[in-house]
Amino acid sequence: MAVHLGPNQYGKAENRLVTVSRNGSVHTLRDLTVSTSLRGDLAATHLTGDNSGVVPTDTQKNTVYAFAKEAPVGEIEEFALRLGRHFVGSFDQITGARVLIDEHGWGRIAANDHSFVRGSDEKRTTAVTIEHDQAWVVSGLRDLVVLKTTGSEFHGYPRDRYTTLPETTDRILATAVSAHWRFSTVDVDWAKSFAEAREAMLAAFADTHSLSLQQTLYAMGEAVIEARPEIAEVRLSLPNKHHFVVDLSKFGLDNDNEVFYAADRPYGLIEGAVVRDDAPEPGLAWHTLPAF
């Protein structure tokens, strides 16, 4: 029986990086989780234990912190591109790099220049892949929890002897959005692109009269692509955060969509992609796009 070494990479996962920029009494806080991984001519370390080509994961970690000191982090896409290009450009045996960054949001506490509050679990994300002199960027967000108290229906589905779900023409619709979008270029105003993509998704969620979460998913992805021409594809994963009307009739009380039981599991999971018709092939961006 013959075997051989397949694709491989290695790196330092989940480096926690917090930076504080001070402009007089006004401070700016950035809170990131950075993961790096490298690939290239690394067969020897797997097959013989020869580490002469291995850039230690500790070195990768130190590089993250040093880069954060040497120049402002900037937008997370810019920081990831700088890191990835450094690793590929500095070591002949390293031909590819992937840098994943989550940004954790903090809001400034009013009337105070140096105190902050974590507003939610929402995270801005980016995934940058470098291969030789090419770069692919996939950005997005996750854990963006949204809810609308009306404007959502679900009916007309097939029924069999196992179907107990009642049809509804008025329900709470809630989800925790995970969205990833790939860019057709790296010549992007990253801050503006993210802000407008996020705004477009939220507006589509709020304004679409939903007959299903699948319909809402498509509307959100379509809105992002229409708002930002540099975005080629959007992939969304939307868990249906079910809210069930509580039966209060046993207490002699009516419940006209006012009191609900919020169930955390099990939940429906709706996933899909919306792709621009003229989108370029994803190249190595597919490594960081969710597969479904």
Side-chain angles (χ1 to χ4, degrees), residues 136-147:
W136 295 265
V137 179
V138 176
S139 293
L141 54 81
R142 68 174 188 271
D143 300 325
L144 171 60
V145 179
V146 292
L147 180 150

Side-chain angles (χ1 to χ4, degrees), residues 245 254-260:
V245 176
D254 294 329
N255 187 4
D256 186 19
N257 275 3
E258 297 167 303
V259 179
F260 299 84

Side-chain angles (χ1 to χ4, degrees), residues 229-251:
E230 72 276 10
I231 293 176
E233 177 183 0
V234 184
R235 295 193 183 186
L236 292 127
S237 179
L238 305 181
N240 198 337
K241 300 177 79 66
H242 298 295
H243 289 68
F244 298 110
V245 176
V246 178
D247 181 6
L248 299 177
S249 61
K250 64 188 73 175
F251 312 123

Side-chain angles (χ1 to χ4, degrees), residues 129-187:
T129 303
I130 305 291
E131 186 73 14
H132 299 292
D133 61 349
Q134 289 187 282
W136 295 265
V137 179
V138 176
S139 293
L141 54 81
R142 68 174 188 271
D143 300 325
L144 171 60
V145 179
V146 292
L147 180 150
K148 58 196 294 184
T149 55
T150 191
S152 175
E153 308 180 28
F154 190 56
H155 51 78
Y157 44 84
R159 308 185 71 91
D160 66 9
R161 62 195 180 113
Y162 302 115
T163 303
T164 60
L165 183 70
E167 296 188 342
T168 180
T169 58
D170 190 11
R171 66 172 182 171
I172 285 179
L173 183 65
T175 186
V177 180
S178 289
H180 301 79
W181 47 84
R182 65 177 174 95
F183 293 91
S184 55
T185 178
V186 295
D187 183 17

Side-chain angles (χ1 to χ4, degrees), residues 68-80:
K69 171 59 181 176
E70 291 172 354
V73 168
E75 300 301 321
I76 57 175
E77 292 87 355
E78 296 169 352
F79 191 50

Side-chain angles (χ1 to χ4, degrees), residues 53-84:
V54 177
V55 180
T57 65
D58 190 67
T59 301
Q60 296 178 45
K61 174 199 72 177
N62 293 340
T63 303
V64 169
Y65 294 120
F67 269 44
K69 171 59 181 176
E70 291 172 354
V73 168
E75 300 301 321
I76 57 175
E77 292 87 355
E78 296 169 352
F79 191 50
L81 284 165
R82 291 208 313 270
L83 286 167

